[in-house]
Amino acid sequence: MSDTRTTGAPGLRRRPRETPASVGRNKVPAVTASFWAVKILTTGMGETTSDYLARALGPVPAVAGAAVLLAAALAAQARADRHRPAVYWAAVVMVSVFGTMAADVAHVALGVPYAVSATAFALALAGVFGLWQRLEGTLAVDTVRGGRREVLYWAAVMTTFALGTAVGDLTAAGLGWGYLASGLLFAALIAVPALGHRVLRLPSVLAFWWAYVLTRPLGACFADWVGVGRERGGLGLGTGPVSLVLGAVIAAAVLWLAIRSRQPARAAV
């Protein structure tokens, strides 16, 4: 948690310590099993939706349309007074779609190798985390209530999606391991921060962001494996149908979360 002491830079002050009442206004969801499940689903949907739209509409219209929808989703999230599941997860879905496109554009349109783009996005994420830590004194997500901290949070989220996309493409295509093998690899790797936190007392914030980055290639690799053609090592079910199924599951999960989020307030009346 942050305190009221000043940082080393002139004019920068850390935010005051959070109180139980202020934590209740947190604008991002609690880190639970349902959070991780929906997060992984959004990564898979973002991957297949991005591929489908790029082929159906063309790269330029797809990227432009995704950028507009992303801006609208983030604006709605910024206006929310507290965590609202439908608003929050709509923003995450659009970050997933646009983050995939950003990584794909770097490789396909600009010819940047996956290893280079992954390194660049990793450095960018380190820069976001460094700025966040310097300004706020913590990278914890349990006190994101708006303002500067929320901007830093979404900057980190967007960068993790781009990084995860580049890393997943690097293993699946760049190194030639394929989507299924890559998905299994990331499924094993994502258990490392959880075990590290439980067994080795790895700091919870580090474990969270470590796992958060890995959710992207994990979900994307399995979604690609199901959706892409057999000539690319997939099951060939189609990126469009996979996107629709994942979208329906996400919508149902978010509806359930929204109903659950209202229950404590009703009980307190």
Side-chain angles (χ1 to χ4, degrees):
M1 298 293 239
S2 57
D3 53 36
T4 56
R5 292 175 297 178
T6 59
T7 65
L12 297 180
R13 299 187 67 87
R14 295 181 180 177
R15 289 178 178 252
R17 185 177 300 276
E18 308 293 343
T19 65
S22 66
V23 171
R25 297 194 300 273
N26 197 32
K27 296 180 65 176
V28 303
V31 182
T32 62
S34 59
F35 168 85
W36 291 115
V38 179
K39 173 64 169 62
I40 292 172
L41 288 172
T42 63
T43 66
M45 181 186 175
E47 178 70 23
T48 54
T49 301
S50 173
D51 290 346
Y52 176 77
L53 292 177
R55 288 181 173 83
L57 303 177
V60 174
V63 172
V68 171
L69 292 176
L70 171 62
L74 290 177
Q77 169 66 20
R79 288 194 299 269
D81 59 343
R82 59 182 175 82
H83 172 57
R84 298 184 182 278
V87 176
Y88 174 84
W89 288 110
V92 171
V93 166
M94 290 315 305
V95 168
S96 180
V97 173
F98 188 78
T100 301
M101 290 180 176
D104 288 344
V105 166
H107 177 73
V108 177
L110 303 180
V112 179
Y114 290 126
V116 174
S117 60
T119 301
F121 287 130
L123 292 174
L125 181 60
V128 172
F129 282 154
L131 180 62
W132 187 349
Q133 179 67 34
R134 179 178 177 80
L135 294 178
E136 299 294 330
T138 177
L139 300 181
V141 299
D142 57 351
T143 55
V144 178
R145 300 187 289 120
R148 183 173 65 190
R149 189 172 296 188
E150 186 174 18
V151 172
L152 292 166
Y153 171 83
W154 285 105
V157 168
M158 293 180 67
T159 311
T160 63
F161 271 90
L163 171 60
T165 300
V167 170
D169 288 340
L170 173 63
T171 60
L175 300 179
W177 295 353
Y179 297 113
L180 178 58
S182 295
L184 294 174
L185 169 66
F186 293 117
L189 289 178
I190 203 170
V192 174
L195 292 175
H197 178 58
R198 290 179 178 274
V199 178
L200 303 177
R201 300 188 181 278
L202 189 71
S204 59
V205 172
L206 174 60
F208 169 81
W209 285 112
W210 184 349
Y212 197 95
V213 171
L214 290 174
T215 59
R216 173 61 191 171
L218 171 62
C221 285
F222 279 115
D224 269 336
W225 174 60
V226 175
V228 303
R230 296 182 183 275
E231 71 281 0
R232 296 174 57 191
L235 298 181
L237 299 185
T239 55
V242 172
S243 298
L244 287 175
V245 171
L246 289 175
V249 175
I250 292 169
V254 171
L255 176 60
W256 176 70
L257 291 172
I259 294 173
R260 283 191 60 192
S261 70
R262 297 190 185 100
Q263 288 176 348
R266 289 176 180 175
V269 174

